[in-house]
Amino acid sequence: MQQVLRLAEETDANPKTRLAALMAERERIDQEIALVQSGGVKTLPEERAVERAREIITLAQDLAGDFRNVRDAFDRLNRELRQSLMENDGSRGDVLENLFAGVDLIAESGPGCTFTAFWRLLTDGEQSYALTEAIDAVTSRQFAWKLEARERKFLQSLTATLMAEGGEVHEVLQQFARSLKSFVQSREFQEQRRLHTLLKQAQQAALAAKDHVRANEGVEFELSLTSSRIRSVSQWSLYDPNLRIPNSAMDDAAPSHLSIEDVEELVRHSEIAFRSLRANIKALLLETSQVTVGQLLARFPAEQGFGSVVGYVALGAKHGEVAYGAEVVHWQGSDGVERSARVPTIYFVRERFLELFE
């Protein structure tokens, strides 16, 4: 009734009746202003306020179904546009022309325009702020405590719920629009269109041959049909993991025959003996003020082969003086073969003697 009365007023072209309606509205507003100024604020009864609040909750909950309907409408529209692209025989149909011109056909459709307007209203800063303020005011009123806890919670999260539901539909809208454009611009569209053309040609050929070839007439053509074995579900046996449990029993290890000396020898071959290398450096620095890696290898044999060379270089990088250039060092491996390598020129000096033993 309110919508009909409002429509009748807004479409009235008679100035007299329109002016009379406006004067009546102004008189009603003046009366309300006077009533408020005199201290007589008229509010809804609590029972009617609770009823109105529950009407709002029901309307907002129905929006979820409306959002699903909008998504379904977008889905149908997407399929219809793809079908029209397939059935368009021309090289530049209306749908193709609009798509190549950059027109978002889904957003420009009826459901798209309706939802876009709603989304614009929902994301408007002033409207969203006004809605949030109104919800806070309503939930703080005395009558709101007569609502159930879930109803108050739904009202308080109404803005977030609308934004979440609307955002999901908006994402679906954008996804359909992007997929439709990419479908037209990709080879998938061309392939499906070629397949659609072949199917139509086959149908037309079949219709042309139906008057000349009987349905039960042999065509001297063999077609290999695929088939699958059909078994009843009752014949299946359930998989039992217990049948394939591996044997977890472990055999006792054989007793070891290694001695302490054998273990020490294995450690010497697997790890760099820095302690003995430091002792070699100490012994040589007691005789001279500085010594290089080559001089150490010439004085003391490389017990760990190349491992000893690496150990001297590592100690020199931390506790020695690295000079410019390289030094060729020689040592004899455990197999008796003489070997050499080029390493950085490193000097161990007596001034840094104590660092080796920190």
Side-chain angles (χ1 to χ4, degrees):
M1 291 175 62
Q2 292 175 355
Q3 293 294 332
V4 172
L5 293 174
R6 183 178 177 182
L7 180 62
E9 292 177 357
E10 294 180 351
T11 56
D12 187 7
N14 190 344
K16 294 183 179 181
T17 56
R18 189 70 180 275
L19 182 60
L22 291 175
M23 294 295 291
E25 181 68 15
R26 187 174 70 175
E27 184 178 354
R28 184 187 64 80
I29 295 175
D30 291 340
Q31 291 178 357
E32 290 188 2
I33 292 175
L35 184 61
V36 171
Q37 290 177 345
S38 62
V41 179
K42 184 179 180 181
T43 60
L44 284 176
E46 288 193 356
E47 291 76 9
R48 178 54 182 162
V50 172
E51 183 181 354
R52 289 280 297 277
R54 286 175 174 164
E55 289 177 358
I56 294 174
I57 293 174
T58 303
L59 180 61
Q61 290 174 343
D62 292 340
L63 281 177
D66 295 336
F67 285 131
R68 286 191 293 270
N69 294 334
V70 172
R71 288 197 296 268
D72 294 341
F74 288 154
D75 192 13
R76 289 192 301 271
L77 181 60
N78 187 33
R79 291 196 301 268
E80 291 173 0
L81 290 174
R82 289 174 182 261
Q83 183 178 357
S84 63
L85 288 173
M86 293 297 101
E87 296 178 352
N88 186 8
D89 295 330
S91 59
R92 294 282 290 180
D94 295 337
V95 179
L96 278 174
E97 289 182 358
N98 290 330
L99 284 174
F100 283 124
V103 178
D104 193 345
L105 295 179
I106 295 182
E108 296 295 332
S109 63
C113 292
T114 302
F115 177 76
T116 301
F118 169 77
W119 180 251
R120 189 180 299 112
L121 179 66
L122 188 61
T123 55
D124 181 76
E126 294 182 0
Q127 295 288 343
S128 178
Y129 178 77
L131 178 60
T132 303
E133 290 292 323
I135 291 175
D136 292 340
V138 168
T139 53
S140 64
R141 300 284 190 264
Q142 183 66 30
F143 73 88
W145 292 102
K146 293 187 177 181
L147 298 172
E148 297 181 4
R150 61 176 182 84
E151 293 176 332
R152 291 196 304 271
K153 184 177 180 180
F154 180 82
L155 274 178
Q156 292 170 350
S157 60
L158 178 59
T159 304
T161 302
L162 292 178
M163 289 293 294
E165 294 284 348
E168 183 178 350
V169 178
H170 185 265
E171 181 62 27
V172 170
L173 171 63
Q174 299 299 321
Q175 179 182 355
F176 281 153
R178 289 192 298 266
S179 65
L180 184 62
K181 290 182 179 179
S182 62
F183 172 72
V184 173
Q185 297 172 356
S186 64
R187 297 182 59 88
E188 181 184 359
F189 163 68
Q190 300 176 359
E191 184 64 24
Q192 290 196 18
R193 194 172 185 184
R194 187 182 69 85
L195 181 61
H196 181 74
T197 302
L198 293 176
L199 290 175
K200 289 183 65 176
Q201 293 175 355
Q203 291 176 352
Q204 293 174 359
L207 291 176
K210 69 181 181 64
D211 297 332
H212 306 284
V213 181
R214 298 191 307 273
N216 57 353
E217 183 178 350
V219 293
E220 298 180 359
F221 180 79
E222 295 183 0
L223 180 64
S224 299
L225 299 178
T226 59
S227 61
S228 61
R229 183 181 176 185
I230 300 177
R231 295 177 58 189
S232 173
V233 178
S234 61
Q235 296 178 350
W236 293 2
S237 58
L238 297 177
Y239 171 73
D240 188 1
N242 294 324
L243 299 178
R244 295 191 179 184
I245 296 179
N247 185 14
S248 59
M250 299 180 62
D251 298 332
D252 295 336
S256 176
H257 299 287
L258 294 177
S259 62
I260 297 297
E261 291 76 11
D262 296 331
V263 174
E264 183 179 359
E265 185 67 21
L266 290 174
V267 172
R268 286 175 58 83
H269 286 287
S270 61
E271 297 181 357
I272 298 176
F274 286 103
R275 180 177 299 177
S276 61
L277 297 181
R278 287 189 175 94
N280 295 339
I281 298 172
K282 177 183 178 182
L284 204 54
L285 285 178
L286 292 175
E287 300 176 2
T288 181
S289 60
Q290 63 182 23
V291 62
T292 64
V293 176
Q295 294 171 346
L296 287 166
L297 291 173
R299 177 71 175 275
F300 303 100
E303 297 179 356
Q304 293 182 293
F306 184 66
S308 298
V309 180
V310 174
Y312 282 130
V313 173
L315 289 174
K318 187 175 181 181
H319 305 292
E321 300 292 337
V322 181
Y324 179 78
E327 179 188 15
V328 178
V329 298
H330 304 272
W331 75 94
Q332 185 178 17
S334 58
D335 53 359
V337 178
E338 292 288 337
R339 293 180 172 82
S340 63
R342 185 181 298 272
V343 299
T345 303
I346 300 175
Y347 293 95
F348 294 95
V349 294
R350 188 176 296 173
E351 288 77 5
R352 302 182 64 179
F353 179 83
L354 296 177
E355 293 183 12
L356 296 169
F357 306 97
E358 291 180 353

